[in-house]
């Protein structure tokens, strides 16, 4: 079984300041981990993906995430927020259910960016 | 690049009506999925299809049926819609285990 906990339902930052979105996971296997972003009334777009290669993963739009096995964490960061980053972010773990790949989603973190 | 295409984008149903959500992908992926998204719940898996000809229940399958028509298409049917099925539905596909899952744009369904 696997689970994902996003530690903050909302995060507010000012434009130009760093972003930190926190995610903890549990998994019986070596997991694949993802961050997806969803803008209002849109589908989900992949930001980045970890699959047991480098522990620091770089994604699109300046985002990156660090896989820390000892802390079972996969936090998402960005050095400087932009207004266009305002969206909902989902941490996701990929696992196996009855032999098939499925995704387990966190409940999401809404990122608010103020001018 | 079309990716994952789902229709309709918006639909209003009366309680007890039936409807089918259509989904097609052009990436030659083996696996396809249907999720529903509700406020504060993230996305929950309704049904998935690991390959053509197979379907399996996910976390919240009650009230739904699916058909994997061919490798490209995976439809979701509500036989008798209920207000609790008001949600945003996402179709998705992936190559297989551990691979990136690609999502459609979503279908907003309201049951009154």
């Amino acid at each position: 079984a696997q689970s994902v906990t996003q530690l903050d339902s909302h995060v507010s930052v000012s434009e130009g300041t760093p972003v930190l979105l926190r995610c903890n996971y549990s998994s019986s296997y070596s997991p694949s981990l993802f961050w997806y972003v969803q803008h209002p009334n849109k589908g989900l777009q992949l930001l980045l993906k970890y699959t047991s290669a480098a522990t620091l993963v770089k994604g699109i739009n300046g985002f990156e995430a660090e896989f820390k096995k000892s802390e079972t964490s996969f936090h998402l960061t960005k050095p400087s927020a932009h207004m266009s980053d305002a969206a909902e972010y989902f941490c996701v773990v990929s696992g196996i259910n009855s032999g098939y790949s499925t995704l387990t989603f966190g409940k999401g973190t809404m990122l608010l960016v103020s001018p | 690049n079309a990716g994952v295409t789902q229709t309709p984008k918006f639909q209003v149903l009366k309680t007890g009506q039936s409807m089918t959500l259509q989904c097609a992908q052009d990436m030659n992926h083996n696996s396809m999925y249907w999720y529903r998204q509700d406020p504060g719940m993230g996305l929950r898996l309704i049904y998935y299809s690991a390959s053509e000809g197979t379907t399996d229940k996910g976390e919240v399958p009650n009230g739904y049926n699916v058909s994997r028509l061919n490798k490209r298409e995976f439809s979701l049917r509500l036989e008798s819609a209920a207000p609790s099925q008001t949600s945003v539905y996402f179709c998705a596909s992936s190559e297989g285990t551990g691979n990136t899952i690609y999502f459609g744009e979503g279908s907003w369904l309201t049951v009154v």
Side-chain angles (χ1 to χ4, degrees):
Chain A
Q2 60 209 32
S3 66
V4 177
T5 302
Q6 291 184 243
L7 298 168
D8 306 291
S9 60
H10 293 81
V11 170
S12 296
V13 299
S14 299
E15 191 174 22
T17 64
V19 175
L20 170 63
L21 304 183
R22 298 182 294 165
C23 172
N24 288 109
Y25 71 92
S26 68
S27 176
S28 301
Y29 304 90
S30 296
S32 293
L33 293 160
F34 307 79
W35 276 98
Y36 282 85
V37 60
Q38 186 180 29
H39 288 91
N41 300 319
K42 295 291 187 182
L44 285 88
Q45 181 184 18
L46 180 68
L47 274 180
L48 49 81
K49 171 183 176 182
Y50 166 78
T51 55
S52 75
T55 57
L56 184 61
V57 182
K58 294 187 183 299
I60 62 172
N61 300 334
F63 285 94
E64 61 182 36
E66 185 172 8
F67 174 72
K68 292 186 176 180
K69 186 174 181 179
S70 61
E71 298 176 11
T72 61
S73 68
F74 190 57
H75 301 336
L76 181 71
T77 61
K78 183 174 180 177
S80 177
H82 191 273
M83 294 296 290
S84 62
D85 294 328
E88 191 162 22
Y89 292 78
F90 293 94
C91 181
V92 184
V93 60
S94 174
I96 299 174
N97 180 14
S98 300
Y100 303 122
S101 174
T102 61
L103 295 182
T104 300
F105 282 76
K107 290 185 170 23
T109 298
M110 186 67 71
L111 177 63
L112 308 170
V113 183
S114 57
Chain B
N1 294 336
V4 180
T5 304
Q6 54 181 109
T7 58
K9 191 168 179 71
F10 299 99
Q11 183 73 49
V12 178
L13 287 177
K14 293 182 179 179
T15 298
Q17 286 186 317
S18 62
M19 77 158 296
T20 300
L21 298 175
Q22 307 286 355
C23 176
Q25 51 92 9
D26 62 2
M27 297 173 280
N28 202 36
H29 285 166
N30 291 314
S31 301
M32 297 186 73
Y33 313 82
W34 277 105
Y35 288 87
R36 60 177 288 172
Q37 182 179 29
D38 302 290
M41 302 290 287
L43 273 75
R44 293 180 293 169
L45 182 65
I46 304 171
Y47 270 92
Y48 61 97
S49 171
S51 60
E52 185 179 354
T54 68
T55 61
D56 286 280
K57 295 178 180 180
E59 182 183 356
V60 288
N62 292 343
Y64 305 95
N65 286 299
V66 291
S67 295
R68 183 74 182 266
L69 304 170
N70 48 56
K71 192 171 186 179
R72 289 187 64 248
E73 298 173 288
F74 187 41
S75 63
L76 178 72
R77 182 160 179 84
L78 287 69
E79 290 290 352
S80 178
S84 61
Q85 293 178 303
T86 293
S87 188
V88 184
Y89 292 86
F90 288 96
C91 179
S93 72
S94 73
E95 180 56 40
T97 302
N99 295 96
T100 300
I101 293 185
Y102 296 88
F103 288 86
E105 290 277 296
S107 297
W108 275 254
L109 176 65
T110 300
V111 183
V112 297

